[in-house]
């Protein structure tokens, strides 16, 4: 199978490794890719594959659907996998499918689930899906009234795409108001207390298959301090998750949401990412994303044994019901992000990176220096180090050993990824008298 992968981050490098490990994949082109993806070796690479058994990296404007579809045609792709949200929201999957090529990723209409927080709330209300109570506000007076209605901690979200940085959660009312004023149209909502879960669901619009539940760490600092980021680390699976919780989330949240989108004639195919809080009143949606999460994907795919291309192709072609059940490796995976100095506000780029060429390390924000091929930092999140092991403690040790081998001046990483879970300190609130839902 000839595959075109769109995107350039750590998630895409992890997807590239998964696709390349599938013997069915004979050609893998990534656009725009990154230096890590450029060195991925295909297990099933045929003599005729474009780069002699390696992934090939091409340029493309990922937010231009015509350009993405054109590249799919040019490279003879039989499957296009779109990693990030921006191309999906722009309609890249629609443009690829219009060429008759299978595409893993939702239409622009279905991707609004991530592209507009207000739309997501509307779909959830129609589907009876539990989520935080909210108000969509377009002017400061409205936002102020909503803040007072829900009380602290205040949650204010930019309505549009903001790369994980459009959300402010604060006890400080004036900071919440200032964020609302900066964003214009915002969703103000009730604070949900309880541990967070990222559940990824592969779907062809009717059949839905959950991957292993994961947790990510959004704040920059240890102990969940400092500003939100795109994600500083992740682990899977979740030893503290109550038995039956994935089934409950599928039944009460994922399937009703997919059914509502299908009812609107905008079925969702691709990866539905449910960001959940496990509250005392059961699981509630914090957000939906329309693509694999980053960095949870790096941890989840490290445990997936089922060939990835076959799974994504089944979703893209509406044949997921006939796909065999997923197989997972035993044990756990932990991913620790190595970020640049100054991330998330003003990441410093252009530093030389050492020690990145190790199994388990994927590239996020890196580039090659033209003059000598040296690896340079080129983004906020630079590398993701994933370790696996028999349990979370062993996986943590493996991940942090990789982090210790990385040389990057001024680099930052969290030291507590998966620590509370490894030590049995994550608690799900007990159901209150309010009941569920
Ligand atoms: P989002 O981009 O919606 O995932 O928000 C980023 C992060 O802000 C989430 O992962 C949560 O940690 C936090 N957050 C967002 N909404 C809420 C909420 N209603 N209650 C508590 N925390 C929230
Ligand atoms: N892990 C957070 C995200 O991908 O949005």
């Amino acid at each position: 199978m000839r595959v075109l992968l769109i995107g350039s981050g750590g998630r895409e490098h992890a997807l590239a490794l998964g696709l390349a490990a599938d013997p069915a994949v004979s050609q893998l082109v990534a656009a725009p890719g990154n230096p890590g993806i450029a060195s991925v070796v295909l297990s099933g690479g045929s003599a005729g594959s474009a780069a002699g058994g390696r992934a090939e990296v091409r340029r493309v404007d990922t937010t231009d659907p015509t350009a993405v579809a054109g590249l799919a045609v040019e490279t003879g792709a039989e499957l296009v996998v779109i990693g990030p949200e921006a191309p999906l929201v722009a309609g890249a999957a629609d443009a690829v499918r219009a060429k008759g090529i299978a595409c893993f990723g939702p239409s622009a209409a279905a991707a609004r689930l991530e592209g507009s927080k207000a739309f997501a709330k509307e779909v959830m209300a129609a589907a009876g899906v539990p989520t935080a109570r909210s108000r969509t506000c377009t002017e400061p007076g409205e936002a102020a009234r909503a803040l007072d209605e829900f009380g602290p901690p205040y949650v204010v979200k930019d309505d549009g795409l903001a790369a994980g940085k459009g959300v402010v959660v604060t006890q400080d009312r004036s900071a919440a108001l200032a964020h609302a004023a900066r964003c214009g149209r915002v969703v103000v909502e009730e604070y949900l207390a309880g541990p967070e879960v990222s559940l990824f669901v592969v779907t062809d619009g009717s059949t839905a298959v959950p991957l292993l539940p994961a947790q990510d760490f959004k704040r920059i600092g240890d102990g969940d301090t400092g500003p939100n980021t795109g994600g500083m680390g992740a682990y899977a699976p979740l030893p503290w998750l109550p038995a039956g919780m994935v089934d409950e989330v599928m039944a009460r949240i994922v399937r009703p949401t997919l059914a509502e989108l299908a009812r609107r004639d905008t079925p969702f195919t691709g990866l539905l990412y449910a960001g959940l809080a496990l509250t005392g009143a059961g699981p509630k949606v914090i957000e939906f994303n329309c693509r694999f999460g980053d960095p949870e994907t790096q941890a989840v795919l490290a445990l997936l044994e089922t060939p990835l291309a076959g799974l994504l192709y089944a979703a893209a072609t509406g044949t997921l019901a006939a796909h065999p059940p997923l197989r997972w490796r035993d044990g756990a995976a932990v991913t620790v992000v190595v970020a640049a100095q100054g991330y998330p506000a003003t990441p410093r780029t252009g530093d030389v990176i050492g020690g990145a060429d190790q199994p388990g390390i994927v590239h996020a924000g890196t580039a090659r220096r033209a003059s000598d091929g040296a690896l340079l930092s080129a983004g906020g999140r630079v590398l993701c180090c994933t370790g696996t092991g028999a349990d979370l403690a062993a996986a943590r040790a493996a991940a942090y050993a990789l982090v210790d081998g990385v040389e990057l001046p001024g680099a930052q990483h969290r030291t507590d990824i998966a620590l509370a879970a490894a030590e049995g300190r994550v608690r799900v609130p007990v159901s209150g008298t309010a009941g569920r839902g």
Side-chain angles (χ1 to χ4, degrees):
M1 190 189 319
R2 293 182 298 274
V3 182
L4 172 63
L5 171 65
I6 300 298
S8 63
R11 165 187 49 213
E12 285 76 25
H13 191 173
L15 286 166
L17 288 169
L19 292 165
D22 186 333
V25 174
S26 57
Q27 173 185 301
L28 178 61
V29 177
N34 67 37
I37 296 174
S39 67
V40 166
V41 177
L42 274 63
S43 71
S46 67
S49 69
R54 274 183 194 268
E56 185 196 353
V57 166
R58 298 281 295 263
R59 283 170 199 253
V60 77
D61 175 357
T62 59
T63 58
D64 177 353
T66 309
V68 171
L71 185 61
V73 171
E74 190 190 323
T75 58
E78 294 155 288
L79 172 67
V80 178
V81 178
I82 301 181
E85 60 275 20
L88 293 164
V89 170
D94 307 79
V96 169
R97 282 193 278 267
K99 299 285 184 195
I101 300 171
C103 186
F104 184 81
S107 66
R112 283 185 75 209
L113 213 50
E114 173 165 1
S116 166
K117 305 251 183 214
F119 174 75
K121 287 292 185 188
E122 182 198 317
V123 169
M124 285 188 269
V129 165
T131 184
R133 289 180 298 131
S134 69
R135 298 261 176 274
T136 301
C137 307
T138 47
E139 55 92 20
E142 228 181 330
R145 281 191 297 281
L147 291 175
D148 295 335
E149 177 185 350
F150 298 128
Y154 301 105
V155 181
V156 180
K157 303 185 175 188
D158 194 336
D159 183 43
L161 286 183
K165 291 165 226 156
V167 177
V168 163
V169 181
T170 177
Q171 295 281 348
D172 180 347
R173 188 174 178 280
S174 54
L177 269 179
H179 185 61
R182 253 194 318 275
C183 298
R185 187 175 153 95
V186 293
V187 172
V188 174
E189 68 181 35
E190 156 197 31
Y191 179 80
L192 299 177
E196 288 181 39
V197 175
S198 300
L199 186 68
F200 298 167
V201 177
V202 172
T203 178
D204 59 10
S206 50
T207 301
V209 177
L211 305 188
L212 285 185
Q215 188 176 53
D216 81 344
F217 293 76
K218 290 256 170 61
R219 303 272 185 164
I220 185 78
D222 280 357
D224 294 327
T225 53
N228 269 328
T229 69
M232 292 298 290
Y235 66 97
L238 310 177
W240 48 266
L241 198 70
M245 182 56 77
V246 170
D247 290 341
E248 181 176 346
V249 170
M250 292 301 289
R252 298 181 63 208
I253 292 173
V254 172
R255 293 205 174 90
T257 301
L258 294 175
E260 174 62 19
L261 288 170
R263 194 189 62 75
R264 294 169 182 233
D265 284 330
T266 53
F268 189 105
T269 70
L271 197 291
L272 179 63
Y273 164 151
L276 310 162
L278 298 196
T279 75
K284 293 190 180 184
V285 174
I286 287 184
E287 65 166 350
F288 281 124
N289 293 318
C290 65
R291 37 79 192 172
F292 281 95
D294 193 342
E296 298 98 307
T297 298
Q298 289 85 315
V300 170
L301 292 187
L303 298 173
L304 181 68
E305 228 166 51
T306 299
L308 183 64
L311 174 66
L312 303 188
Y313 188 77
T317 53
T319 56
L320 208 48
H323 191 275
L326 300 186
R327 284 180 287 110
W328 296 97
R329 295 188 181 93
D330 291 336
V334 172
T335 299
V336 179
V337 170
V338 176
Q341 179 178 326
Y343 181 70
T346 47
R348 192 174 76 190
T349 58
D351 286 306
V352 175
I353 305 166
D357 188 16
Q358 294 292 333
I361 299 187
V362 300
H363 293 211
T366 68
R368 290 264 175 225
R369 186 158 59 198
S371 57
D372 60 357
L375 191 66
L376 303 179
S377 60
R381 293 186 292 175
V382 179
L383 300 170
C384 309
C385 302
T386 301
T388 55
D391 57 18
L392 282 177
R396 271 175 53 77
Y400 280 107
L402 289 172
V403 172
D404 288 343
V406 170
E407 294 151 41
L408 173 64
Q412 323 177 57
H413 68 267
R414 280 184 64 159
T415 67
D416 63 348
I417 303 301
L419 181 60
E423 294 180 343
R425 289 189 280 110
V426 180
R427 293 272 173 275
V428 179
V430 179
S431 295
T433 47
R436 299 195 147 199

